[in-house]
Structures are given as structure tokens and as C-alpha cells.
């Protein structure tokens, strides 16, 4: 079933099949990196963090579209926030939300056409968690600022975020703001 889903995703994200780039958001039940889980101790055999699941996620969902069976999507939240530890799921057992023992299982994955030239580790326009924004500029050299400006021109992703303070289930809402190409409007 997963192979069929990935094949459909790859087909949908190819420019010849669909006039609009793919955005895949939601619970994918996999913490792709050790940073996406509160502790890896004893978790490598847990569903959602096995080496096989993480390898499959990297190869089949994020892998280059030219690879057999890869969708070629980009994890724009992690690209914008390469060092941020933030979760989207907390088990109800043991009061995990109150102690922030969570997992990042919910993703905003986009077709590279939407993400533009923004490479992993480049700061983005969004702060990732709407509740924690301090509005401070991180600075940088003129060359870095020019590169960031050029990447921002190419990217249609204005903001990508988690609303960790909004409760209602064991997962928090996630969101993305996509700028309409050639317009000053934003689509949510």
C-alpha cells in the first residue's frame, strides 16, 4: 500500500501530470531524525522511529524524484529550522505534553517548485512556532543577505509553523502560508 501511495504522490508531483505542485501535510507517523524525538534511548525499536521507517521516509518521500519510487518532496519546516527542537505529538500517557516529551510526526512537505532555491540550513521568513516569535533579525553578511533574498524570491513558502500551544488532541495543528505566484495575496 505504501508503494502505491508513493507512486501516486510521485505521479501527482510531476509537472506533466498536475498543473499545481503538491503540498502534503499531516501526521506521517515517523520521526525522521533524532532531533525529532525527545529521547532516542530505547526508541529505535519503537514504531515511528525504527531505522527502516526513517530510511524509507528519506528515500521514498524526500528522495530525488529521479530515483526509483521517490516523491522528491521537501521538509520545509526542517529546512527553515535546522536546529530547532519542536514537537507536534505528545502521548497522553505520563503527562508528556506538560513535560514536552514529544515527537515531530506531523510534516509540511512540498514540491521543490514551491520551496524554491532555499537550501537546508537557510533561515526562512517564518519563525516556526507562532507563539515564540521575538522578531529579532539574525543578521548576516551582505552576501548572505543577497543569497537569502534571491532564495526568498524563488520560494512561494511564506511561513511554515507548528501551533504547539493549541490543544485538542495528542497532535498540535501545523500550518503553512503559501504566496500566490505573481500576486501580493497569500493562500492559507
Amino acid at each position: 500500500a505504501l508503494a502505491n501511495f508513493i507512486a501516486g504522490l510521485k505521479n501527482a508531483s510531476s509537472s506533466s501530470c498536475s498543473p499545481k505542485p503538491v503540498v502534503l501535510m499531516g501526521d506521517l507517523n515517523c520521526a525522521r531524525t533524532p532531533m525529532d524525538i525527545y529521547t532516542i534511548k530505547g526508541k529505535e525499536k519503537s514504531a515511528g522511529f525504527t531505522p527502516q521507517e526513517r530510511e524509507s521516509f528519506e528515500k521514498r518521500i524526500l528522495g530525488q524524484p529521479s530515483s526509483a519510487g521517490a516523491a522528491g518532496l521537501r521538509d520545509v519546516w526542517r529546512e527553515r529550522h535546522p536546529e530547532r527542537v519542536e514537537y507536534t505529538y505528545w502521548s497522553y500517557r505520563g503527562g508528556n505534553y506538560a513535560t514536552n516529551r514529544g515527537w515531530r510526526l506531523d510534516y509540511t512537505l512540498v514540491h521543490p517548485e514551491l520551496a524554491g532555491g532555499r537550501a537546508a540550513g537557510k533561515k526562512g521568513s517564518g519563525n516556526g512556532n507562532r507563539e515564540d516569535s521575538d522578531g529579532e533579525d539574525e543578521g548576516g553578511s551582505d552576501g548572505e543577505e543577497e543569497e537569502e533574498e534571491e532564495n526568498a524570491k524563488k520560494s512561494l513558502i511564506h511561513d511554515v509553523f507548528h501551533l504547539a500551544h493549541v490543544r485538542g488532541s495528542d497532535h498540535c495543528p501545523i500550518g503553512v502560508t503559501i504566496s500566490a505566484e505573481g500576486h501580493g495575496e497569500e493562500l492559507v
Side-chain angles (χ1 to χ4, degrees):
L2 178 61
N4 290 337
F5 174 75
I6 298 297
L9 195 56
K10 183 177 179 180
N11 287 337
S13 66
S14 73
S15 58
S16 61
C17 181
S18 174
K20 296 184 180 179
V22 169
V23 175
L24 174 64
M25 295 178 66
D27 178 5
L28 298 183
N29 280 326
C30 181
R32 45 178 293 248
T33 72
M35 182 181 260
D36 295 324
I37 185 171
Y38 73 94
T39 183
I40 61 170
K41 186 177 180 181
K43 301 292 188 210
E44 294 207 346
K45 293 183 180 180
S46 297
F49 195 67
T50 66
Q52 297 85 352
E53 289 168 307
R54 291 181 288 136
E55 180 181 340
S56 179
F57 192 104
E58 295 295 322
K59 285 184 178 177
R60 301 180 93 182
I61 295 177
L62 302 178
Q64 294 301 314
S66 58
S67 304
L73 299 178
R74 295 193 25 206
D75 179 0
V76 290
W77 190 88
R78 179 54 68 207
E79 285 184 13
R80 301 263 177 122
H81 312 290
E83 301 300 321
R84 181 169 290 163
V85 175
E86 195 171 292
Y87 309 120
T88 62
Y89 162 81
W90 302 264
S91 172
Y92 283 129
R93 286 184 258 156
N96 287 345
Y97 180 77
T99 57
N100 200 30
R101 291 180 302 186
W103 300 47
R104 184 174 77 106
L105 300 178
D106 301 86
Y107 294 88
T108 301
L109 306 175
V110 304
H111 186 277
E113 185 179 319
L114 288 174
R118 207 176 286 285
K122 292 292 177 193
K123 70 177 184 175
S125 58
N127 75 324
N129 184 328
R130 293 275 175 95
E131 188 175 49
D132 295 337
S133 178
D134 61 8
E136 290 184 22
D137 185 12
E138 294 178 19
S141 70
D142 288 341
E144 289 173 351
E145 289 173 9
E146 288 173 15
E147 182 179 348
E148 178 65 20
E149 187 176 314
E150 183 62 29
N151 285 337
K153 287 179 188 173
K154 295 176 187 175
S155 177
L156 297 179
I157 304 299
H158 173 70
D159 195 8
V160 57
F161 51 90
H162 303 151
L163 298 174
H165 63 285
V166 176
R167 302 301 298 146
S169 84
D170 52 355
H171 292 259
C172 72
I174 62 173
V176 63
T177 305
I178 302 172
S179 297
E181 188 172 15
H183 297 83
E185 303 170 15
E186 291 178 349
L187 307 174
V188 178

